[in-house]
Structures are given as C-alpha cells and as structure tokens.
Amino acid sequence: MYLYTANHYIDVMPFLLQGLQYTLLITFVGVFFGFIIGAIFGLMRISNNKLVYGIATVYVEIVRGTPLLAQIFFLYFGLPELLGVNLDKLTASILAIALNAGAYIAEIVRGSVQSVEKGQTEAGRSLGLSSSQTMRYIIWPQALKRMIPPLGNQFIISLKDTSLFSAIAVTDILYQGRQYASGTFVYFEPYLMVCVFYLIITIPSMVILRRYERRLERE
C-alpha cells in the first residue's frame, strides 16, 4: 500500500517513467521489425506469382481482420499450448506489434509502390535494368518517400496499441498507472498523467508528420 500524499501528479511520475521505457522499447523494436515484415509482404502483394500473392494476402487479411488483443493472447497463451514455445511478456509484445504493424505496413508499401507511375518502370527497363534493379534503384526510392507519412501514422497507432499489453502484465505506461491507482485508491491523477505521457510522445510526432506532408505537397 502506497502512502497517501496530496500531490499524486508528482508521485506517479517515477512509475510512469519506468513504464515509458517499456512502451518506447516495444514500439520502436516492434515497428522496426514490422517495417521489414511489411516491406516483404507488401512486395509479395504486387507479385504476379499467384502463390506468393496468396500467401501475403492471407497474412494481411487475417491480421487486419482480428483484434490486436486477441493476437496478443494467442501469442502469449496460445502458442505455448500449441507448439510448446514459451514467450516471455516482452518478446510476445514485440512480436505482436511487429506482426500487427507488418500487415498494415504491407498495404502501405503496396499502395506506395503502385502509386509510382508505370512510365518509371518502362524507363528503367529501357535502360537495360532488370526488374529487381528497376525496383531497387528507381521505384523503391520514390515509393519510400511517399510511405513516410503513413508509416509515421502507423508508428503513432502502434505506440497507443502498446497500452493493450497491460492485459498480460507488461509494465508499460498504462500498467504502471494502474498499479499506482490500485495502491493509492486515487484514480483521476494517475490516469490523467497516463494520457499526458501519451500526448507528450504523440503530439510532436504528429506535428513533424504534418510538416513533412506539407513539404511533399509543395514539391
């Protein structure tokens, strides 16, 4: 039981700062691997090979069609029973964010690549470049530039989604706020500060994204 003090706004800070470390770790590592997964499956989604396209489509539709919380429970509780693979809470959290974000990033990649004018592909082939070289040197750099705003939005979404991991006792920002509230029986201040912490992270990110989008519009 935590000692009562009048200034819970200050007393809750150490708890939330500890949770912030896990929130940022899960978000950055998860989205990093999510981008790798999304880039692979996004390119598979534009493949002419029906098997490759089918595999990517199944992954994207399953992940996008099921709640993230259900995916978390499946990875943390279901896999040990199914495969005998025990994942610790942090690993399960990063994997869940990576797989979930990867499905949405795959659609971002697919849309960005397909938005590049077909004439760019034809120009690359006329220069004697192979399909992979055209993608690497001509299409991908242009598509990557267009991906940045939606990738930034996905980062913010994934950051907020980390609050769901408190359901498996990951000590993120929300979990730490809940711990403080349950120990002091004070709820307004800790949960308000939880919201403030998320806003401190997300608002600068949104401002940067808006400025980048305006710069893209001017180009």
Side-chain angles (χ1 to χ4, degrees):
M1 188 72 66
Y2 305 112
L3 295 176
Y4 175 81
T5 71
N7 202 345
H8 292 286
Y9 293 107
I10 296 176
D11 291 344
V12 74
M13 292 287 285
F15 291 83
L16 300 185
L17 287 172
Q18 182 180 351
L20 179 63
Q21 299 176 31
Y22 284 94
T23 294
L24 294 178
L25 175 64
I26 293 169
T27 304
F28 278 102
V29 178
V31 173
F32 172 77
F33 285 108
F35 177 75
I36 296 174
I37 294 170
I40 294 171
F41 280 89
L43 294 176
M44 290 171 64
R45 287 271 284 164
I46 59 176
S47 173
N48 293 323
N49 186 303
K50 291 184 178 180
L51 177 61
V52 172
Y53 172 82
I55 292 173
T57 300
V58 168
Y59 160 69
V60 169
E61 296 304 325
I62 288 177
V63 173
R64 295 179 68 192
T66 55
L68 175 56
L69 186 58
Q71 297 166 18
I72 295 167
F73 286 158
F74 174 77
L75 291 172
Y76 188 64
F77 296 111
L79 280 185
E81 182 179 343
L82 179 66
L83 303 175
V85 177
N86 292 310
L87 299 177
D88 60 77
K89 291 179 288 188
L90 182 60
T91 302
S93 300
I94 292 173
L95 182 59
I97 284 291
L99 292 175
N100 184 268
Y104 291 92
I105 292 173
E107 288 300 278
I108 293 172
V109 170
R110 179 190 62 79
S112 298
V113 169
Q114 290 182 332
S115 71
V116 177
E117 296 76 10
K118 292 184 179 180
Q120 300 287 331
T121 302
E122 295 170 358
R125 299 307 298 272
S126 67
L127 292 173
L129 299 178
S130 65
S131 297
S132 59
Q133 289 174 327
T134 301
M135 173 62 68
R136 179 179 178 182
Y137 296 112
I138 297 178
I139 305 300
W140 184 257
Q142 296 180 66
L144 184 60
K145 188 177 180 181
R146 301 179 186 185
M147 291 177 205
I148 293 177
L151 286 176
N153 290 328
Q154 182 59 48
F155 173 83
I156 293 172
I157 292 170
S158 295
L159 172 68
K160 293 185 291 184
D161 283 344
T162 59
S163 61
L164 295 173
F165 295 119
S166 62
I168 58 172
V170 174
T171 53
D172 68 325
I173 295 174
L174 180 58
Y175 180 86
Q176 291 294 87
R178 286 172 54 191
Q179 287 293 97
Y180 183 88
S182 64
T184 59
F185 300 103
V186 174
Y187 301 97
F188 178 80
E189 292 91 340
Y191 286 126
L192 176 60
M193 291 304 295
V194 166
C195 294
V196 168
F197 264 63
Y198 280 109
L199 288 173
I200 289 173
I201 304 170
T202 57
I203 288 178
S205 302
M206 290 187 287
V207 170
I208 293 171
L209 283 175
R210 289 195 189 102
R211 289 182 177 177
Y212 183 80
E213 288 173 356
R214 286 196 294 266
R215 194 176 77 177
L216 281 181
E217 291 172 357
R218 291 194 298 267
E219 292 180 354

